[in-house]
């Protein structure tokens, strides 16, 4: 029998969140049921709840930064047991047989993976995310959260952590490499911490200097305001890698001019508008403009273990169910330091 659980629901695009209930499927052979403790708020939740990326599925329960405790396991489950500290990120299933799934790059599954929310299971059922009290998922898409990281600061690692870790690793961030992180929000602040822990020289390119002190504390070596034209002169040709976490339109030619020979600028931010640039901005320095999308399951586990080994978690503000609408407004105004995390015990109606 499916279980009825409490959730925060947006009934239509841009609607306020309401306390309501959803059904979670019965725990199958390979499933684990998780008591959700914390759910991070990613800017992607806002894009989808407001239908900024195209048509979405409503009612919607967002949330793909989920941390909690296993409360039940199916008979065939081997990876997790009751009481384990676990997490779920951006997808809960994939085809498991395409070349990308077999290579552990399930985020690029050829059949299309099953998004944690605003998606459909391969059976056609809508998926509902982490702004809820419980979730049921296949054990292979559930991550282990190492003992060293508290669940509240671990939750944002399931998206913000892996989304920055994956391109930093792929493009070789490490000792001797100069990395710039554009935008110091949820993704950006994790990018700073992880790039620093990987041994790279890290520079933040933020709209203003208002978060400079924090940035330097989190591991940045340098911090510049992009509102100051001098920033683009001072850093011309400097960076091996620029990770862009901004979801607004940027003057890409100016950012590309900051890359050294063979440097790469990688988009993880997902603006709703098409972006433009002059091809000369690439050819002049054999530069690359690229994109990256979250990470695979094994890489996500590697990232969690890396963060535990380096004592890294997200900088968070824990909020209750009543504060989610306001948190969305604050994120859009770049007034977040640096991730809102919902205490899911506040979701059930009193
Ligand atoms: P966030 O917390 O809102 O951070 C974005 C940061 O961008 C802001 O804090 C701000 O930093 C900067 N910014 C905002 N508006 C700007 C503007 N008009 N011009 C320049 N900079 C601006 O968002 P997030 O959760 O980190 O997500 C960032 C983006 O990544 C979103 O588009 C999200 O959908 C996307 N995302 C992509 C993936 C993926 O796999 N590719 C995964 C997760 C999220 P400063 O104040 O420091 O400038
Ligand atoms: Zn996300
Ligand atoms: Zn696949």
């Amino acid at each position: 029998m499916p279980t009825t659980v409490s959730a925060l629901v947006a009934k239509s695009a841009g609607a306020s969140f309401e306390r309501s209930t959803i059904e979670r499927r019965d725990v199958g052979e390979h499933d684990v049921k998780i008591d959700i403790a914390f759910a991070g708020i990613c800017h992607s939740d806002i894009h989808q709840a407001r239908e900024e990326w195209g048509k979405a599925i409503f009612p919607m329960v967002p949330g793909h930064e989920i941390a909690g405790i296993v409360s039940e396991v199916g008979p065939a489950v081997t990876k997790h047991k009751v009481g384990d500290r676990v997490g779920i990120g951006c997808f809960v299933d994939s085809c498991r047989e395409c070349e990308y799934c077999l290579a552990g790059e399930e985020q690029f599954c050829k059949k299309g993976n099953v998004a944690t929310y605003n998606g459909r299971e391969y059976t056609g059922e809508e998926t509902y995310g982490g702004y809820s009290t419980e979730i049921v998922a296949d054990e292979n898409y559930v991550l282990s959260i190492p003992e060293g990281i508290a669940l509240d600061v671990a939750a944002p690692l399931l998206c913000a952590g892996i989304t920055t870790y994956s391109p930093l690793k792929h493009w070789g961030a490490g000792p001797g490499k100069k990395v710039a992180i554009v935008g110091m929000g949820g993704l950006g602040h994790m990018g700073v911490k992880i790039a620093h822990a990987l041994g790279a020289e890290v520079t933040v390119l933020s709209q203003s200097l208002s978060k400079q002190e924090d940035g330097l504390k989190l591991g940045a070596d340098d911090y510049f305001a992009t509102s100051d034209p001098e920033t683009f002169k001072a850093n011309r040709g400097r960076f091996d890698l620029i990770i862009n976490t901004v979801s607004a339109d940027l003057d890409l030619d100016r950012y590309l001019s900051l890359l050294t020979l063979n440097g790469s600028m990688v988009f993880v931010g997902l603006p709703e508008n098409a972006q433009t640039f002059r091809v000369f901005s690439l050819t002049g320095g054999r530069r690359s403009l690229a994109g990256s999308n979250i990470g695979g399951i094994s890489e996500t586990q590697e990232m969690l273990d890396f963060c535990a080994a380096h004592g890294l978690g997200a900088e968070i503000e824990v909020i209750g169910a009543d504060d989610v609408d306001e948190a969305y407004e604050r994120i859009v105004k770049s007034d977040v330091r640096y991730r809102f995390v919902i205490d899911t015990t506040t979701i059930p109606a009193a």
Side-chain angles (χ1 to χ4, degrees):
M1 281 290 290
T3 332
T4 302
V5 309
S6 299
L8 283 180
V9 175
K11 287 198 176 136
S12 60
S16 301
F17 283 97
E18 293 174 32
R19 287 185 164 86
S20 185
T21 57
I22 51 170
E23 301 279 291
R24 293 298 191 189
R25 69 169 182 254
D26 198 7
V27 177
E29 283 271 295
H30 297 277
D31 285 342
V32 302
K33 183 187 255 186
I34 300 166
D35 269 340
I36 301 174
F38 296 99
I41 299 181
C42 177
H43 206 123
S44 301
D45 298 350
I46 304 177
H47 289 306
Q48 292 174 85
R50 296 183 175 179
E51 248 180 7
E52 291 169 350
W53 291 340
K55 208 162 167 35
I57 302 169
F58 292 95
M60 182 187 292
V61 178
H64 58 209
E65 294 186 336
I66 300 170
I69 305 284
V70 175
S71 61
E72 193 181 332
V73 296
V77 168
T78 57
K79 293 199 164 107
H80 307 286
K81 57 183 192 313
V82 172
D84 280 0
R85 295 150 40 86
V86 293
I88 290 180
C90 295
F91 55 92
V92 286
D93 204 355
S94 68
C95 85
R96 310 173 193 211
E97 52 190 34
C98 74
E99 61 184 291
Y100 302 149
C101 281
L102 294 176
E105 307 256 40
E106 302 92 345
Q107 72 274 35
F108 303 117
C109 173
K110 284 184 165 173
K111 187 174 174 183
N113 58 40
V114 176
T116 303
Y117 69 88
N118 189 24
R120 287 187 195 283
E121 300 280 359
Y122 294 133
T123 54
E125 292 291 299
E126 292 93 351
T127 55
Y128 298 112
Y131 300 5
S132 59
T133 50
E134 293 176 55
I135 189 167
V136 176
D138 185 285
E139 63 167 334
N140 291 307
Y141 297 81
V142 173
L143 289 305
S144 298
I145 296 179
E147 281 302 325
I149 320 178
L151 290 182
D152 53 358
V153 301
L157 301 179
L158 276 304
C159 177
I162 185 59
T163 301
T164 48
Y165 181 85
S166 184
L168 285 167
K169 290 288 287 201
H170 184 82
W171 274 274
K177 297 284 181 185
K178 295 183 169 67
V179 174
I181 306 286
V182 186
M184 207 173 77
L187 264 53
H189 93 287
M190 283 314 307
V192 170
K193 287 188 179 205
I194 293 170
H196 175 69
L198 287 167
E201 180 192 292
V202 187
T203 300
V204 176
L205 302 174
S206 179
Q207 295 167 93
S208 73
L209 295 179
S210 64
K211 296 177 275 189
Q212 183 174 28
E213 203 179 311
D214 290 349
L216 297 176
K217 234 185 274 167
L218 299 183
D221 300 282
D222 248 336
Y223 200 107
F224 292 93
T226 53
S227 52
D228 179 357
E230 284 304 314
T231 291
F232 292 91
K233 285 189 201 146
N235 292 288
R236 205 175 176 77
R238 175 173 176 184
F239 303 111
D240 300 290
L241 175 62
I242 299 175
I243 306 276
N244 172 31
T245 75
V246 173
S247 50
D249 302 337
L250 292 182
D251 180 346
L252 290 186
D253 298 304
R254 293 175 91 198
Y255 287 87
L256 290 169
S257 75
L258 304 181
L259 290 173
T260 184
L261 182 65
N262 298 323
S264 302
M265 175 164 180
V266 180
F267 269 75
V268 289
L270 291 162
E272 56 181 304
N273 298 324
Q275 305 293 300
T276 58
F277 63 94
R278 294 184 74 232
V279 173
F280 284 94
S281 301
L282 295 179
T283 53
R286 207 199 276 141
R287 297 168 176 137
S288 305
L289 185 57
S292 186
N293 180 39
I294 45 176
I297 292 295
S298 59
E299 193 177 36
T300 304
Q301 190 62 56
E302 177 187 307
M303 176 276 308
L304 288 167
D305 296 342
F306 175 89
C307 286
H310 291 265
L312 305 183
E315 302 298 308
I316 59 166
E317 189 174 327
V318 177
I319 60 169
D322 292 328
D323 309 322
V324 174
D325 291 323
E326 191 194 333
Y328 272 34
E329 292 306 323
R330 285 183 53 193
I331 292 168
V332 169
K333 285 189 278 185
S334 303
D335 178 21
V336 51
R337 302 207 173 179
Y338 287 86
R339 202 54 140 186
F340 291 109
V341 171
I342 304 167
D343 170 356
T344 55
T345 59
T346 62
I347 292 177

